[in-house]
Amino acid sequence: MYRSIILKEWLKLRWFFAACVLAHLALCLRIFFVIGRQMREEHAEMVWYQAIHIHTVMYQDIRFLPLFTGLLLAAAQFMPEILGRRMRIALHLPTGRDRMLLLCLLAGIALYLIATGLGVVGVFVTLRRFFPLEVAFSALPTMAPWLLAGLLAYLGMTIVLLEGETRRRVFLALVFGVLVTMLFHGNGYGWLTPALPYLVWLVVPAMLSVFESARRFQQRGA
Amino acid sequence: MNAIEVHNLCHRYNGRTIYQDLNFSVRQGSICGLLGKNGQGKTTLVNILMGFLGPADGRCLVLGENSHDLSPAVRSRIGLLHEGHLAYEFMTIAQTEQFFSGCYPDWNADIFYGLVEKMKLPRSHKVGNMSCGQRSQVVLGVIMAQNPDLLILDDYSMGLDAGYRRLFLDVLHEFASQDGKTIFVTSHIVQDLEQLVDTMIFLDKGEILQTGLEEFMGSFHKYVFHDDNRFSLEPDEVIKGFEQRGRQVALYSFAGEEQIQGHLAALGIRPHNFHPAAMTLEDAFIGLMGKY
């Protein structure tokens, strides 16, 4: 059963996942070449000054990519289930609804983490090539809220798609919109690092909300 | 033992009562057809039976379990054909087999491919690129390969031409010939059900009439006569339905020939060439339920 559900999710997501991976790799290459050109055209001291003293984030281009990745993967995964109410097929499978949904979510989240993880690794390697290790490491807490925003966007999109009632849909979209916007606030390195251990816990109620939306989806005639 | 039991089912939609105190059962090993005009709640009933809708009141048991809390073990014994032949359109034939084979312990790939390969499509053919008839064959293959004890078919004939409908009937007859297999089916092609079911449930305005096919066709009658005068008849205790085409009038009733003639005379109608006529299940359906 588990392998079947993972197969289904993979078949839905594989091309979208490939597109997300390519987008991350492409942006990482762009960041690499832009920083390389700056190093050649400006004095390296100036670039280091910007990066280390002014806290200019050299990898801003990738900032919103995890968000789009989360939204795209959720849409690719759950739109085929919602259109024509095809989720009824999965809901009739001989397994528990929550277990089935958990597997779907884990499949989507795993692919999200792989795609965005590649972006993080790409940025880290690029920074390590041009800057000291400390600067490269500073990218991790700086990018973490962006990744968290993408994950919440993935869960939020899933909830909004599964939710059948329009008013509730709008409300949930607003709630997740506010949460995601909050995670993009601030500039410089590690802006949200102190709050990050608390913000991560937002994933728990968001995931629980997916199960509740799926329950309502089924009870409203799937 | 009953495969399906419905007790005092009530359901409302947008304030409108769909059912009020609905009661019926489907015996294990029987083939039961649910008939009703469009909008009478056939699909809603299937949705309630499969746990996709919670009833406002009452209780539905499917294979002994509460329908809105079916265990995975019971779901694995139910082959469900959703209205519109729902299938995963992003899968190929082979991927569909691979997916469902991992879900059902009694899966029989030979049954699946035996049905699907009648279409002579490669296994790499995508379900989304199939015609409605071809997709229905894949769905039929899926539910048959599960080897279920209970088949619930929600308007299996939707969008199918005569050939595919006949193929469905062949497969369903084969399935029903096995011991203890139950079929609960809705279809808008009433003629097809006449060749399949042994029990019928007529659903009309939230009320039901459950009867055996032979018993119903033996007790419900069609009478034909000619009349030059245009008149209007309303269904009453004796006359259940009425159709007029030109000079020919058809009446539908549970009453015998003499009783109906007496009733017409009491209504002031003098029929010419009055006689009982042969009747199909579709005639009977229209006669009992009306056209609109």
Side-chain angles (χ1 to χ4, degrees), chain A residues 4-213:
Chain A
S4 288
I5 291 172
I6 297 296
L7 168 74
K8 173 168 75 78
E9 300 312 307
W10 171 245
L11 291 173
K12 281 187 289 187
L13 287 171
R14 55 188 171 165
W15 300 118
F16 296 96
F17 169 67
C20 292
V21 166
L22 284 177
H24 276 88
L25 291 177
L27 269 185
C28 286
L29 279 175
R30 179 184 149 79
I31 292 164
F32 182 89
F33 287 125
V34 166
I35 296 176
R37 195 183 64 208
Q38 278 183 309
M39 286 287 188
R40 282 193 308 276
E41 291 178 359
E42 302 172 24
H43 289 293
E45 296 89 333
M46 279 305 294
V47 181
W48 276 44
Y49 178 75
Q50 284 178 34
I52 294 165
H53 291 284
I54 305 180
H55 281 196
T56 301
V57 177
M58 300 282 184
Y59 39 91
Q60 280 282 7
D61 287 353
I62 211 167
R63 184 178 170 109
F64 293 105
L65 194 54
L67 174 68
F68 293 127
T69 301
L71 292 173
L72 180 68
L73 290 180
Q77 201 174 358
F78 289 98
M79 282 298 279
E81 304 282 355
I82 304 305
L83 291 173
R85 303 192 295 172
R86 274 187 197 83
M87 193 144 179
R88 282 185 292 172
I89 302 174
L91 290 172
H92 181 63
L93 292 175
T95 186
R97 181 190 60 226
D98 291 345
R99 188 179 298 180
M100 181 271 294
L101 193 62
L102 180 64
L103 278 171
C104 296
L105 290 177
L106 290 179
I109 289 171
L111 294 184
Y112 168 80
L113 291 176
I114 291 170
T116 52
L118 278 173
V120 173
V121 170
V123 167
F124 182 86
V125 170
T126 298
L127 294 178
R128 185 69 192 98
R129 169 77 178 75
F130 297 108
F131 298 101
L133 189 60
E134 287 78 2
V135 174
F137 270 122
S138 73
L140 302 181
T142 304
M143 292 180 78
W146 307 345
L147 265 64
L148 182 59
L151 186 56
L152 286 174
Y154 168 82
L155 295 170
M157 177 67 121
T158 302
I159 291 167
V160 167
L161 285 173
L162 289 177
E163 186 55 59
E165 197 184 318
T166 308
R167 273 184 303 183
R168 211 185 279 255
R169 239 180 201 178
V170 172
F171 173 74
L172 288 165
L174 282 173
V175 168
F176 278 93
V178 168
L179 290 176
V180 167
T181 306
M182 182 182 73
L183 289 165
F184 283 109
H185 262 290
N187 282 309
Y189 299 149
W191 178 264
L192 283 172
T193 302
L196 215 51
Y198 306 103
L199 292 172
V200 165
W201 287 100
L202 287 171
V203 173
V204 176
M207 273 195 88
L208 292 176
S209 301
V210 177
F211 294 107
E212 176 57 19
S213 289

Side-chain angles (χ1 to χ4, degrees), chain A residues 1 4 86 92-93 95 218 221, chain B residues 52 75 78 87 89 99 102-103:
Chain A
M1 176 66 78
S4 288
R86 274 187 197 83
H92 181 63
L93 292 175
T95 186
Q218 181 169 12
Chain B
F52 296 137
R75 278 208 297 276
I78 303 170
E89 302 201 348
F99 172 72
C103 298

Side-chain angles (χ1 to χ4, degrees), chain B residues 113-185:
Chain B
Y113 282 122
L115 284 166
V116 170
E117 286 181 349
K118 284 180 180 167
M119 298 185 293
K120 300 197 177 359
L121 292 173
R123 292 184 181 187
S124 57
H125 197 93
K126 217 171 173 182
V127 175
N129 294 335
M130 291 180 179
S131 69
C132 181
Q134 290 170 331
R135 195 174 66 244
S136 74
Q137 196 67 10
V138 173
V139 175
L140 183 64
V142 166
I143 57 175
M144 284 301 155
Q146 292 169 25
N147 189 25
D149 293 324
L150 169 64
L151 271 187
I152 296 183
L153 311 173
D154 188 8
D155 208 353
Y156 76 88
S157 54
M158 181 188 269
L160 301 188
D161 64 23
Y164 277 110
R165 288 195 343 254
R166 191 59 67 97
L167 201 57
F168 250 88
L169 288 176
D170 294 345
V171 173
L172 294 180
H173 274 289
E174 179 69 27
F175 174 81
S177 67
Q178 301 170 60
D179 273 349
K181 303 288 188 185
T182 310
I183 302 176
F184 183 71
V185 56

